Amino acid sequence: MEINSKEFSNKDITVTYDPCICTLSGKCSKELSEVFSNSIIPWVNLENTETKRIIEQIKRCPSGALKYFKNKEELQVS
């Protein structure tokens, strides 16, 4: 069975989650429960805190299952 990675976005970043490499340590939900949940769907809600805090938590992911990239800003033409 193929399991695809998941993506979650806010205005600043897109977070990717690869369930195939996740060790289910629960570190993300224990340390930043307002964003990462193990009991609510969708389990990632990037609107609940500052992007900086989300990035800091992703960097602490022990398996590397969580990654992020910055979204490109759209140019506003006047």
Coordinates of all heavy atoms in Angstrom, one line a residue:
M1 N 0.8 -1.2 0.0 CA 0.0 0.0 0.0 C 0.9 1.2 0.0 O 1.8 1.4 0.8 CB -0.9 0.0 1.2 CG -1.7 1.2 1.4 SD -3.1 1.1 2.5 CE -2.3 1.4 4.1
E2 N 0.6 2.2 -0.9 CA 1.4 3.4 -1.0 C 0.8 4.5 -0.1 O -0.4 4.7 -0.1 CB 1.4 3.9 -2.4 CG 2.2 5.1 -2.6 CD 2.2 5.6 -4.1 OE1 2.1 4.7 -5.0 OE2 2.4 6.8 -4.3
I3 N 1.7 5.1 0.7 CA 1.2 6.2 1.6 C 1.9 7.5 1.1 O 3.1 7.5 1.0 CB 1.6 5.9 3.0 CG1 0.9 4.6 3.5 CG2 1.2 7.1 3.9 CD1 1.3 4.2 4.9
N4 N 1.1 8.4 0.7 CA 1.7 9.7 0.2 C 1.9 10.7 1.4 O 1.3 10.6 2.4 CB 0.7 10.4 -0.8 CG 0.5 9.5 -2.0 OD1 1.4 8.9 -2.5 ND2 -0.7 9.4 -2.5
S5 N 2.9 11.5 1.2 CA 3.2 12.6 2.2 C 2.0 13.6 2.1 O 1.3 13.7 1.1 CB 4.5 13.2 1.9 OG 4.6 13.8 0.7
K6 N 1.9 14.3 3.2 CA 0.8 15.3 3.3 C 1.4 16.7 3.3 O 2.5 16.9 3.8 CB 0.0 15.0 4.5 CG -0.5 13.6 4.7 CD -1.6 13.3 3.7 CE -2.2 11.9 3.9 NZ -3.0 11.5 2.9
E7 N 0.6 17.7 2.9 CA 1.1 19.1 2.9 C 0.0 19.9 3.6 O -1.2 19.7 3.4 CB 1.3 19.6 1.5 CG 2.4 19.0 0.8 CD 2.7 19.7 -0.6 OE1 2.0 20.6 -0.9 OE2 3.7 19.4 -1.2
F8 N 0.5 20.9 4.4 CA -0.3 21.8 5.1 C 0.3 23.2 4.9 O 1.5 23.4 5.0 CB -0.3 21.5 6.6 CG -0.8 20.1 6.9 CD1 0.2 19.1 6.9 CD2 -2.1 19.8 7.0 CE1 -0.2 17.8 7.2 CE2 -2.5 18.5 7.3 CZ -1.6 17.5 7.4
S9 N -0.5 24.2 4.6 CA 0.1 25.6 4.3 C -0.6 26.7 5.1 O -1.8 26.6 5.4 CB -0.1 25.9 2.8 OG 0.7 25.0 2.0
N10 N 0.2 27.7 5.3 CA -0.3 29.0 5.8 C 0.2 30.0 4.8 O 0.8 29.7 3.8 CB 0.0 29.3 7.3 CG 1.4 29.5 7.5 OD1 2.3 29.7 6.6 ND2 1.8 29.5 8.8
K11 N 0.1 31.3 5.1 CA 0.6 32.3 4.2 C 2.1 32.3 4.0 O 2.6 32.8 3.0 CB 0.0 33.7 4.6 CG 0.5 34.2 5.9 CD -0.1 35.6 6.2 CE 0.3 36.0 7.6 NZ 1.6 36.4 7.8
D12 N 2.8 31.8 5.0 CA 4.3 31.9 5.0 C 5.0 30.7 4.6 O 6.0 30.7 3.9 CB 4.8 32.3 6.4 CG 4.2 33.6 7.0 OD1 4.1 34.5 6.2 OD2 3.8 33.6 8.1
I13 N 4.5 29.5 5.0 CA 5.2 28.2 4.8 C 4.3 27.1 4.4 O 3.1 27.2 4.6 CB 6.0 27.8 6.0 CG1 5.1 27.5 7.2 CG2 7.1 28.8 6.3 CD1 5.8 26.8 8.4
T14 N 4.8 26.1 3.8 CA 4.1 24.8 3.6 C 4.9 23.8 4.3 O 6.1 23.6 4.2 CB 4.1 24.5 2.1 OG1 3.3 25.5 1.4 CG2 3.5 23.1 1.8
V15 N 4.2 23.0 5.2 CA 4.7 21.9 5.9 C 4.4 20.6 5.3 O 3.2 20.4 4.9 CB 4.2 21.9 7.4 CG1 4.7 20.7 8.2 CG2 4.6 23.2 8.1
T16 N 5.4 19.7 5.1 CA 5.2 18.4 4.6 C 5.4 17.4 5.6 O 6.2 17.5 6.5 CB 6.1 18.1 3.4 OG1 7.4 18.2 3.8 CG2 5.9 19.1 2.2
Y17 N 4.6 16.3 5.6 CA 4.7 15.2 6.5 C 4.8 13.9 5.7 O 3.9 13.6 4.9 CB 3.4 15.2 7.4 CG 3.3 13.9 8.2 CD1 4.2 13.6 9.2 CD2 2.3 13.0 7.9 CE1 4.0 12.5 10.0 CE2 2.1 11.9 8.7 CZ 3.0 11.6 9.7 OH 2.9 10.5 10.4
D18 N 5.8 13.1 6.0 CA 6.0 11.8 5.4 C 5.7 10.7 6.4 O 6.5 10.4 7.3 CB 7.4 11.7 4.8 CG 7.6 10.4 4.0 OD1 6.8 9.5 4.1 OD2 8.6 10.4 3.2
P19 N 4.5 10.1 6.3 CA 4.2 9.1 7.3 C 5.0 7.8 7.2 O 5.1 7.1 8.2 CB 2.7 8.8 7.0 CG 2.5 9.2 5.6 CD 3.5 10.3 5.4
C20 N 5.7 7.6 6.1 CA 6.6 6.4 6.0 C 7.8 6.5 6.8 O 8.4 5.4 7.1 CB 6.9 6.2 4.5 SG 5.5 5.9 3.5
I21 N 8.3 7.7 7.2 CA 9.5 7.8 8.0 C 9.2 8.3 9.4 O 10.1 8.3 10.2 CB 10.6 8.6 7.3 CG1 10.1 10.1 7.2 CG2 11.0 8.1 6.0 CD1 11.2 11.0 6.7
C22 N 8.0 8.6 9.7 CA 7.6 9.1 11.1 C 7.8 8.0 12.1 O 7.3 6.8 11.8 CB 6.2 9.6 11.1 SG 5.7 10.2 12.7
T23 N 8.4 8.3 13.2 CA 8.6 7.3 14.3 C 7.5 7.4 15.3 O 7.5 6.6 16.3 CB 10.0 7.4 14.9 OG1 10.1 8.7 15.5 CG2 11.1 7.2 13.9
L24 N 6.5 8.3 15.1 CA 5.4 8.5 16.1 C 5.9 8.7 17.5 O 5.3 8.3 18.5 CB 4.5 7.2 16.0 CG 3.8 7.0 14.7 CD1 3.1 5.7 14.7 CD2 2.9 8.1 14.2
S25 N 6.9 9.5 17.6 CA 7.4 9.9 18.9 C 6.5 10.8 19.7 O 6.5 10.8 20.9 CB 8.8 10.5 18.8 OG 8.7 11.9 18.3
G26 N 5.7 11.5 19.0 CA 4.7 12.5 19.6 C 5.4 13.8 20.0 O 4.7 14.6 20.7
K27 N 6.6 14.0 19.7 CA 7.4 15.2 20.1 C 6.7 16.4 19.6 O 6.5 17.4 20.4 CB 8.8 15.1 19.6 CG 9.7 16.2 20.1 CD 11.1 15.9 19.7 CE 12.1 16.9 20.2 NZ 12.4 16.8 21.6
C28 N 6.2 16.4 18.4 CA 5.5 17.6 17.8 C 4.3 17.9 18.6 O 4.1 19.1 19.0 CB 5.3 17.4 16.4 SG 4.3 16.0 15.9
S29 N 3.4 17.0 18.9 CA 2.2 17.2 19.6 C 2.4 17.5 21.1 O 1.6 18.3 21.7 CB 1.2 16.1 19.4 OG 1.7 14.9 20.0
K30 N 3.4 17.0 21.7 CA 3.7 17.3 23.1 C 4.2 18.7 23.3 O 3.9 19.4 24.2 CB 4.7 16.3 23.6 CG 4.1 14.9 23.8 CD 5.2 13.9 24.2 CE 4.7 12.5 24.1 NZ 5.8 11.5 24.2
E31 N 5.1 19.1 22.3 CA 5.8 20.4 22.5 C 5.1 21.6 21.8 O 5.3 22.7 22.2 CB 7.2 20.3 22.0 CG 8.0 19.3 22.8 CD 9.5 19.2 22.3 OE1 9.8 19.8 21.3 OE2 10.2 18.4 22.9
L32 N 4.2 21.3 20.9 CA 3.5 22.4 20.2 C 2.1 21.9 19.9 O 1.6 21.8 18.7 CB 4.2 22.9 18.9 CG 3.8 24.2 18.3 CD1 4.0 25.4 19.3 CD2 4.5 24.5 17.1
S33 N 1.3 21.6 20.9 CA 0.0 21.0 20.8 C -1.0 21.9 20.1 O -2.0 21.4 19.6 CB -0.5 20.5 22.1 OG -0.7 21.6 23.0
E34 N -0.8 23.2 20.1 CA -1.8 24.1 19.4 C -1.7 24.0 17.9 O -2.6 24.4 17.2 CB -1.6 25.6 19.9 CG -0.3 26.2 19.6 CD 0.7 26.1 20.8 OE1 0.7 25.1 21.5 OE2 1.5 27.0 20.9
V35 N -0.6 23.4 17.4 CA -0.5 23.2 16.0 C -0.6 21.7 15.6 O -1.3 21.4 14.6 CB 0.9 23.8 15.5 CG1 1.1 23.4 14.0 CG2 1.0 25.3 15.7
F36 N 0.1 20.9 16.3 CA 0.2 19.4 16.0 C -0.7 18.7 17.0 O -0.5 18.8 18.2 CB 1.6 18.9 16.0 CG 2.5 19.7 15.1 CD1 3.4 20.6 15.5 CD2 2.5 19.4 13.7 CE1 4.2 21.3 14.7 CE2 3.3 20.0 12.8 CZ 4.2 21.0 13.3
S37 N -1.6 17.9 16.5 CA -2.5 17.1 17.4 C -2.5 15.6 17.0 O -2.3 15.3 15.9 CB -3.9 17.6 17.2 OG -4.8 16.8 17.9
N38 N -2.6 14.8 18.0 CA -2.7 13.4 17.7 C -4.2 12.9 17.9 O -4.4 11.7 17.8 CB -1.8 12.6 18.6 CG -2.0 12.8 20.1 OD1 -3.0 13.4 20.5 ND2 -1.1 12.3 20.9
S39 N -5.1 13.8 18.1 CA -6.5 13.4 18.2 C -7.5 14.2 17.4 O -8.7 13.9 17.4 CB -6.9 13.5 19.7 OG -6.8 14.8 20.2
I40 N -7.1 15.2 16.6 CA -8.0 16.0 15.9 C -7.6 16.0 14.4 O -6.4 16.0 14.1 CB -7.9 17.5 16.3 CG1 -8.3 17.6 17.8 CG2 -8.8 18.4 15.5 CD1 -8.1 19.0 18.4
I41 N -8.6 15.9 13.5 CA -8.3 15.9 12.1 C -8.8 17.2 11.5 O -9.9 17.6 11.8 CB -9.1 14.8 11.4 CG1 -8.7 13.4 12.0 CG2 -8.9 14.8 9.9 CD1 -7.3 12.9 11.7
P42 N -8.1 18.0 10.7 CA -6.7 17.7 10.4 C -5.8 17.9 11.5 O -6.0 18.7 12.4 CB -6.4 18.7 9.3 CG -7.3 19.9 9.5 CD -8.5 19.3 10.2
W43 N -4.8 17.1 11.6 CA -3.9 17.0 12.8 C -2.8 18.1 12.8 O -2.2 18.3 13.8 CB -3.3 15.7 12.9 CG -2.2 15.4 12.0 CD1 -2.3 14.9 10.7 CD2 -0.8 15.5 12.2 NE1 -1.1 14.7 10.1 CE2 -0.1 15.1 11.0 CE3 0.0 15.9 13.3 CZ2 1.3 15.1 10.9 CZ3 1.4 15.9 13.1 CH2 2.0 15.5 11.9
V44 N -2.7 18.9 11.7 CA -1.8 20.0 11.6 C -2.7 21.3 11.3 O -3.4 21.3 10.3 CB -0.7 19.9 10.6 CG1 0.1 21.1 10.5 CG2 0.1 18.6 10.8
N45 N -2.6 22.3 12.2 CA -3.3 23.6 12.0 C -2.3 24.7 12.2 O -2.0 25.1 13.3 CB -4.4 23.7 13.0 CG -5.3 24.9 12.7 OD1 -4.8 25.8 12.0 ND2 -6.5 25.0 13.2
L46 N -1.8 25.2 11.0 CA -0.7 26.2 11.0 C -1.2 27.6 11.4 O -0.3 28.4 11.6 CB 0.0 26.2 9.7 CG 0.6 24.9 9.2 CD1 1.2 25.1 7.8 CD2 1.6 24.4 10.1
E47 N -2.4 27.8 11.6 CA -3.0 29.1 11.9 C -3.0 29.3 13.4 O -3.3 30.4 13.8 CB -4.4 29.2 11.4 CG -4.5 29.0 9.9 CD -3.7 30.0 9.1 OE1 -3.5 31.2 9.5 OE2 -3.1 29.6 8.0
N48 N -2.6 28.3 14.2 CA -2.8 28.5 15.7 C -1.6 29.1 16.4 O -1.6 29.2 17.6 CB -3.1 27.1 16.3 CG -4.5 26.7 16.0 OD1 -5.4 27.6 15.6 ND2 -4.9 25.5 16.3
T49 N -0.5 29.4 15.7 CA 0.7 30.1 16.3 C 1.5 30.7 15.2 O 1.2 30.6 14.1 CB 1.5 29.1 17.2 OG1 2.4 29.8 18.0 CG2 2.3 28.1 16.3
E50 N 2.6 31.4 15.7 CA 3.5 32.1 14.8 C 4.3 31.1 13.9 O 4.7 30.0 14.4 CB 4.4 32.9 15.6 CG 3.8 34.0 16.4 CD 4.7 34.6 17.4 OE1 5.9 34.1 17.6 OE2 4.4 35.7 17.9
T51 N 4.5 31.4 12.7 CA 5.3 30.6 11.8 C 6.7 30.3 12.4 O 7.2 29.1 12.2 CB 5.4 31.3 10.4 OG1 4.1 31.4 9.9 CG2 6.3 30.5 9.5
K52 N 7.3 31.2 13.0 CA 8.6 31.0 13.6 C 8.6 29.8 14.6 O 9.5 29.0 14.6 CB 9.1 32.3 14.3 CG 10.4 32.2 15.0 CD 10.8 33.5 15.7 CE 12.1 33.3 16.4 NZ 12.5 34.4 17.2
R53 N 7.6 29.7 15.4 CA 7.5 28.6 16.4 C 7.3 27.3 15.7 O 7.8 26.3 16.1 CB 6.3 28.9 17.4 CG 6.6 30.1 18.3 CD 5.6 30.2 19.4 NE 5.6 29.0 20.3 CZ 4.5 28.5 20.9 NH1 3.3 29.0 20.7 NH2 4.7 27.5 21.6
I54 N 6.5 27.3 14.6 CA 6.3 26.1 13.8 C 7.6 25.6 13.2 O 8.0 24.4 13.3 CB 5.3 26.3 12.7 CG1 3.9 26.7 13.3 CG2 5.1 25.1 11.8 CD1 2.9 27.2 12.4
I55 N 8.4 26.5 12.7 CA 9.7 26.1 12.1 C 10.6 25.6 13.1 O 11.3 24.5 12.9 CB 10.3 27.3 11.4 CG1 9.5 27.7 10.1 CG2 11.8 27.1 11.0 CD1 9.9 29.0 9.4
E56 N 10.7 26.2 14.3 CA 11.5 25.7 15.4 C 11.1 24.3 15.8 O 12.0 23.4 16.1 CB 11.4 26.6 16.6 CG 12.1 28.0 16.3 CD 11.8 29.0 17.4 OE1 11.0 28.8 18.3 OE2 12.4 30.1 17.3
Q57 N 9.8 24.0 15.8 CA 9.4 22.7 16.2 C 9.7 21.6 15.2 O 10.2 20.5 15.5 CB 7.9 22.7 16.5 CG 7.4 21.3 17.0 CD 8.0 21.0 18.4 OE1 8.1 21.9 19.3 NE2 8.5 19.8 18.5
I58 N 9.5 22.0 13.9 CA 9.9 21.1 12.8 C 11.3 20.7 12.8 O 11.7 19.5 12.6 CB 9.5 21.7 11.4 CG1 7.9 21.8 11.3 CG2 10.1 20.9 10.3 CD1 7.4 22.6 10.2
K59 N 12.2 21.6 13.2 CA 13.6 21.4 13.2 C 13.9 20.4 14.4 O 15.0 19.7 14.3 CB 14.4 22.7 13.4 CG 14.4 23.5 12.2 CD 15.2 24.8 12.4 CE 15.2 25.7 11.2 NZ 15.9 26.9 11.4
R60 N 13.0 20.2 15.3 CA 13.3 19.2 16.4 C 12.6 17.9 16.1 O 12.7 17.0 17.0 CB 12.7 19.8 17.7 CG 13.5 21.0 18.2 CD 13.1 21.3 19.7 NE 11.8 21.8 19.9 CZ 11.4 23.1 19.8 NH1 12.3 24.0 19.6 NH2 10.1 23.4 20.0
C61 N 12.1 17.7 15.0 CA 11.5 16.4 14.6 C 12.5 15.3 14.5 O 13.5 15.4 13.7 CB 10.7 16.5 13.3 SG 10.0 14.9 12.7
P62 N 12.5 14.3 15.4 CA 13.6 13.3 15.5 C 13.7 12.4 14.2 O 14.8 12.0 13.9 CB 13.2 12.5 16.7 CG 11.8 12.7 16.9 CD 11.4 14.0 16.4
S63 N 12.6 12.2 13.5 CA 12.7 11.3 12.3 C 12.9 12.1 11.0 O 13.3 11.5 10.0 CB 11.4 10.5 12.2 OG 10.3 11.4 11.9
G64 N 12.6 13.4 11.0 CA 12.7 14.1 9.8 C 11.5 14.0 8.9 O 11.4 14.4 7.8
A65 N 10.4 13.4 9.5 CA 9.1 13.3 8.8 C 8.5 14.6 8.5 O 7.8 14.7 7.5 CB 8.2 12.4 9.6
L66 N 8.7 15.6 9.4 CA 8.2 16.9 9.1 C 9.3 17.8 8.5 O 10.4 17.8 9.0 CB 7.8 17.6 10.5 CG 6.5 17.0 11.1 CD1 6.4 17.5 12.5 CD2 5.3 17.3 10.3
K67 N 8.9 18.5 7.4 CA 9.8 19.4 6.8 C 9.0 20.6 6.4 O 7.7 20.6 6.4 CB 10.4 18.8 5.5 CG 11.3 17.6 5.8 CD 12.0 17.1 4.5 CE 12.8 15.9 4.6 NZ 13.4 15.5 5.8
Y68 N 9.6 21.7 6.0 CA 8.9 22.9 5.6 C 9.7 23.6 4.5 O 10.9 23.4 4.3 CB 8.7 23.9 6.8 CG 9.9 24.6 7.1 CD1 10.2 25.9 6.6 CD2 10.9 24.1 8.0 CE1 11.3 26.6 6.9 CE2 12.1 24.8 8.3 CZ 12.3 26.1 7.8 OH 13.4 26.8 8.0
F69 N 9.0 24.4 3.7 CA 9.6 25.3 2.8 C 8.8 26.6 2.8 O 7.6 26.6 3.1 CB 9.8 24.7 1.4 CG 8.5 24.3 0.7 CD1 7.7 25.2 0.0 CD2 8.1 23.0 0.9 CE1 6.6 24.8 -0.7 CE2 6.9 22.6 0.2 CZ 6.2 23.4 -0.5
K70 N 9.5 27.7 2.5 CA 8.8 29.0 2.5 C 8.0 29.2 1.2 O 8.5 28.8 0.2 CB 9.8 30.1 2.7 CG 10.5 30.1 4.1 CD 11.4 31.3 4.3 CE 11.9 31.2 5.7 NZ 12.8 32.3 6.0
N71 N 6.8 29.7 1.3 CA 6.0 30.0 0.2 C 6.6 31.2 -0.6 O 7.0 32.1 0.0 CB 4.6 30.2 0.6 CG 4.0 29.0 1.3 OD1 4.4 27.9 1.0 ND2 3.0 29.3 2.1
K72 N 6.4 31.2 -1.9 CA 6.8 32.3 -2.7 C 5.8 33.4 -2.6 O 4.6 33.1 -2.6 CB 7.0 31.9 -4.2 CG 8.1 31.0 -4.4 CD 8.2 30.6 -5.9 CE 9.3 29.6 -6.1 NZ 9.4 29.2 -7.5
E73 N 6.3 34.6 -2.4 CA 5.3 35.8 -2.4 C 4.9 36.2 -3.8 O 5.7 36.2 -4.7 CB 6.0 37.0 -1.7 CG 6.3 36.7 -0.2 CD 6.9 38.0 0.4 OE1 6.6 39.1 0.0 OE2 7.7 37.8 1.4
E74 N 3.6 36.4 -3.9 CA 3.1 36.8 -5.2 C 3.3 38.3 -5.3 O 3.1 39.1 -4.4 CB 1.6 36.5 -5.3 CG 1.3 35.1 -5.4 CD -0.1 34.8 -5.6 OE1 -0.8 35.6 -6.2 OE2 -0.6 33.8 -5.1
L75 N 3.8 38.8 -6.5 CA 4.0 40.2 -6.8 C 2.7 40.9 -7.0 O 1.8 40.4 -7.7 CB 4.9 40.4 -8.0 CG 6.3 39.9 -7.8 CD1 7.1 40.0 -9.1 CD2 7.1 40.7 -6.7
Q76 N 2.5 42.0 -6.3 CA 1.3 42.8 -6.5 C 1.6 43.8 -7.6 O 2.4 44.6 -7.4 CB 0.8 43.4 -5.2 CG 0.5 42.4 -4.1 CD -0.7 41.6 -4.4 OE1 -1.7 42.1 -5.0 NE2 -0.7 40.4 -4.0
V77 N 0.8 43.8 -8.6 CA 1.0 44.8 -9.7 C -0.1 45.9 -9.5 O -1.3 45.6 -9.4 CB 0.8 44.2 -11.1 CG1 1.0 45.2 -12.2 CG2 1.8 43.0 -11.3
S78 N 0.4 47.1 -9.5 CA -0.6 48.3 -9.3 C -0.9 48.9 -10.6 O -0.2 49.0 -11.4 CB 0.0 49.3 -8.4 OG 0.6 48.8 -7.2

